Amino acid sequence: MIVKTYGSAIHGVHAITITIEVNVSSQGTRFYITGLPDNAVKESERRIESTIQYMGYRMPRTRTVVNMAPADIRKAGAAYDLPIAIGMLAASGQIPTGEPGRCLMMGELSLDGTLLPIKGALAIAMQAVKDGFRDFLLPVQNAQEAAMVSGLNVFSLAHLSEAVQYFNTPQSIPPVKPASNIFHSTTHAFADDFSDVKGQQQIKRALEIAAAGGHNAILIGPPGAGKTMLAKRLPTILPPLTLQEALETTKIHSVAGKLPAHTSLIVHRPFRSPHHTISDTALVGGGSIPQPGEISLAHNGVLFLDELPEFKRKVLEVLRQPMEERQVTISRARIAIDFPASFMLLASMNPCPCGYFNHPEKECSCAPGQVQDYLNKVSGPLLDRIDLHVEVTPVKFSELTANRVAEKSTYIRDRVTAARAIQANRFAAYEGIYSNAQIHSRLLTSICEISDNCLQQLALAMQKMKLSARAYDRILRVSRTIADLEGCQQVAPSHMAEAIQFRSLDREGWGN
């Protein structure tokens, strides 16, 4: 007897429906599994045999063939245990088959039949709706995550016996109800706040501009000046995630197996801070079975690289293409997968090896040429892709001990959100553009229209600072964001001047 069940394979951050055909015949005694399975799938026979016997059912001892189609897509992981086990029980006549083509199921089995969590439940649920499935059976740990997708009945299972119960008496197990209003009821409270930072008004202003336009930024300053403290507070002023962004972000973390326990939806923008010893594969993604890297886990959020020159040159250079295209393509001999990577890059670095170049009080002890050699660890093309170069100076003692209450992140976030709303309205007619940092070069002249005075001002800066064409584009985008923060339709000379000052590392004399 041939029975069909349905599972799903993860391909990048998307899912592909897999048809699992189980044929139990009376001739022969061997067990076969075909359709490009990996070792974890091949080992399912032993797990299923133990589970079936533990539950009091009989394991088919005649010739059993399990075919997983399409055969050209690699099937990886133990999450196919559930559909294979149900298929074997149905094909051997021990349970009814239910309605073919209406139910999709995934779950790893322990030896006693307990279902273990899977990766990518949200992506699988989204694809199940597209492919017309009505029901989705999966482990209880993943149920709330999948229930975020409308148009699908999600059934939460703790044990294989509950899956058998679903097929014996379909009405006995109620579908899971999604957590009520989980997205809109979430408060945007953070443990950190900009009010904790004493002084540093100029740096706070730079991070506000970066948040308002989605710009990349780098903080350059001596040790102890507050670079890391400021960086960790950037997420507190970013605009809230939209529901679509929250679903995209959750899907990536789910596929990577990084979704926190008991979390059905990520409602805060991610903040990823990898150590400088990270490999290029871990940063951008990859592996024999390509998995998303840190830049994809930072999608719709912030990627913070502390002590930028300490990262390997090869690791930093692989960032250049994703920063421009906002996605990364991982190519293998038989497969090419695109992972989303629309992130804000925030980096920090010392100005020299000893850390005290340009320090107002301490003298730099670096030998001649060491400062420039240190800065050269970060390539010019990468620095060109960073919109804001922010010099961080130590906090004065008078500011450190002052009782003055600093501005809270809530007020800064309100201004940032208002600026983003202006941009959303501006780019409503442009697909794939949501902030000023994403403006295509061909649209710059029309969107960032500037006066003759601003043009002369920019031309002088380009000549004196020897800026590249990419730096020219960055200045225009940043000036547009500054104007949006002030609610101005036209970029004024003051906006242009402030944008130009954030190109510190482009100065010819820096480090000499």
Side-chain angles (χ1 to χ4, degrees):
M1 179 179 180
I2 298 178
V3 170
K4 291 183 180 181
T5 59
Y6 298 89
S8 195
I10 297 297
H11 183 85
V13 294
H14 304 289
I16 299 173
T17 297
I18 301 298
T19 302
I20 299 166
E21 302 170 305
V22 181
N23 182 17
V24 177
S25 63
S26 59
Q27 298 178 350
T29 58
R30 294 193 61 182
F31 178 91
Y32 302 91
I33 185 164
T34 61
L36 208 59
D38 72 350
N39 287 333
V41 179
K42 292 176 183 178
E43 292 169 354
S44 64
E45 178 190 4
R46 302 304 175 199
R47 293 190 295 272
I48 293 169
E49 180 179 10
S50 174
T51 299
I52 288 177
Q53 291 176 346
Y54 183 86
M55 292 174 58
Y57 291 96
R58 58 178 175 80
M59 181 73 175
R61 295 302 178 189
T62 55
R63 186 173 183 267
T64 302
V65 179
V66 177
N67 180 51
M68 308 176 78
D72 60 338
I73 295 175
R74 187 168 183 79
K75 321 304 184 302
Y80 297 100
D81 288 358
L82 178 59
I84 293 175
I86 292 296
M88 292 177 69
L89 289 173
S92 58
Q94 299 180 74
I95 64 171
T97 58
E99 297 181 63
R102 302 288 289 176
C103 173
L104 186 142
M105 61 191 90
M106 291 291 282
E108 178 183 348
L109 289 172
S110 61
L111 297 183
D112 64 353
T114 302
L115 283 168
L116 304 177
I118 64 173
K119 295 180 181 179
L122 183 60
I124 294 171
M126 289 179 173
Q127 188 60 41
V129 172
K130 291 181 181 178
D131 290 343
F133 287 98
R134 182 191 64 187
D135 298 343
F136 184 18
L137 278 61
L138 78 169
V140 62
Q141 297 93 328
N142 304 110
Q144 281 295 334
E145 175 190 344
M148 295 303 299
V149 180
S150 59
L152 187 68
N153 295 322
V154 175
F155 293 89
S156 168
L157 308 178
H159 195 272
L160 178 60
S161 59
E162 295 178 9
V164 173
Q165 181 184 348
Y166 167 87
F167 286 98
N168 284 327
T169 53
Q171 305 301 322
S172 62
I173 301 179
V176 173
K177 293 182 179 179
S180 59
N181 210 21
I182 183 174
F183 180 72
H184 298 288
S185 64
T186 303
T187 59
H188 297 280
F190 294 89
D192 300 318
D193 197 278
F194 265 101
S195 60
D196 304 329
V197 182
K198 300 286 187 179
Q200 304 291 25
Q201 296 305 316
Q202 178 65 11
I203 295 85
K204 291 179 183 179
R205 168 66 174 173
L207 292 180
E208 180 180 341
I209 294 170
H215 301 288
N216 302 319
I218 183 169
L219 307 178
I220 314 109
K227 301 187 296 295
T228 304
M229 182 182 186
L230 286 157
K232 288 182 177 179
R233 282 156 177 75
L234 177 59
T236 69
I237 64 171
L238 290 173
L241 284 169
T242 64
L243 180 58
Q244 181 60 37
E245 288 175 330
L247 289 170
E248 288 176 1
T249 305
T250 303
K251 184 164 70 169
I252 295 169
H253 283 72
S254 176
V255 165
K258 303 289 186 182
L259 194 64
H262 311 296
T263 300
S264 58
L265 189 69
I266 292 176
V267 294
H268 293 303
R269 293 188 181 274
F271 181 86
R272 306 293 299 184
S273 180
H275 192 261
H276 64 258
T277 56
I278 191 172
S279 67
D280 53 341
T281 300
L283 186 64
V284 302
S288 56
I289 301 174
Q291 292 290 308
E294 287 292 332
I295 63 173
S296 294
L297 294 172
H299 182 64
N300 291 323
V302 178
L303 177 68
F304 176 49
L305 302 183
D306 201 6
E307 302 299 338
L308 189 66
E310 302 304 322
F311 285 79
K312 298 173 186 175
R313 181 75 173 239
K314 178 183 177 183
V315 171
L316 294 180
E317 292 308 298
V318 297
L319 281 174
R320 286 159 56 176
Q321 179 259 346
M323 287 171 66
E324 288 289 327
E325 299 185 6
R326 299 189 177 272
Q327 70 173 16
V328 59
T329 302
I330 308 297
S331 297
R332 294 292 179 264
R334 296 183 178 180
I335 195 171
I337 294 176
D338 293 329
F339 290 112
S342 182
F343 60 91
M344 278 179 61
L345 175 65
L346 181 61
S348 71
M349 61 181 288
N350 293 333
C352 66
C354 78
Y356 297 111
F357 181 78
N358 273 1
H359 195 283
E361 298 174 359
K362 297 183 180 181
E363 186 176 350
C364 177
S365 61
C366 298
Q370 271 191 299
V371 177
Q372 195 60 48
D373 290 343
Y374 184 75
L375 295 178
N376 286 342
K377 289 183 177 180
V378 184
S379 69
L382 180 61
L383 286 177
D384 270 353
R385 289 170 168 83
I386 298 178
D387 304 351
L388 303 172
H389 304 165
V390 187
E391 293 185 60
V392 182
T393 56
V395 182
K396 296 178 181 178
F397 182 78
S398 59
E399 293 179 331
L400 198 60
T401 57
N403 292 324
R404 189 183 306 112
V405 179
E407 188 177 30
K408 291 185 177 181
S409 294
T410 306
Y411 303 123
I412 303 174
R413 185 169 64 241
D414 288 343
R415 295 195 295 269
V416 168
T417 303
R420 286 287 186 106
I422 293 173
Q423 294 166 51
N425 184 59
R426 176 185 300 134
F427 302 128
Y430 300 98
E431 185 178 355
I433 304 179
Y434 307 101
S435 64
N436 289 333
Q438 299 173 335
I439 302 175
H440 301 308
S441 297
R442 64 179 181 274
L443 300 175
L444 268 177
T445 53
S446 58
I447 293 177
C448 302
E449 188 176 353
I450 57 177
S451 64
D452 291 340
N453 287 340
C454 289
L455 190 61
Q456 292 173 6
Q457 191 178 16
L458 183 54
L460 184 62
M462 291 282 294
Q463 181 182 359
K464 286 193 172 184
M465 299 171 67
K466 299 188 182 303
L467 301 178
S468 67
R470 188 178 282 115
Y472 166 83
D473 291 351
R474 304 288 172 188
I475 291 173
L476 284 180
R477 294 186 180 103
V478 172
S479 64
R480 180 63 266 172
T481 298
I482 296 171
D484 289 341
L485 277 169
E486 296 186 6
C488 300
Q489 292 193 359
Q490 183 100 16
V491 175
S494 60
H495 306 147
M496 183 64 67
E498 188 174 7
I500 290 171
Q501 75 168 349
F502 290 121
R503 301 303 303 181
S504 300
L505 294 180
D506 290 326
R507 291 204 304 258
E508 185 181 11
W510 179 277
N512 295 324

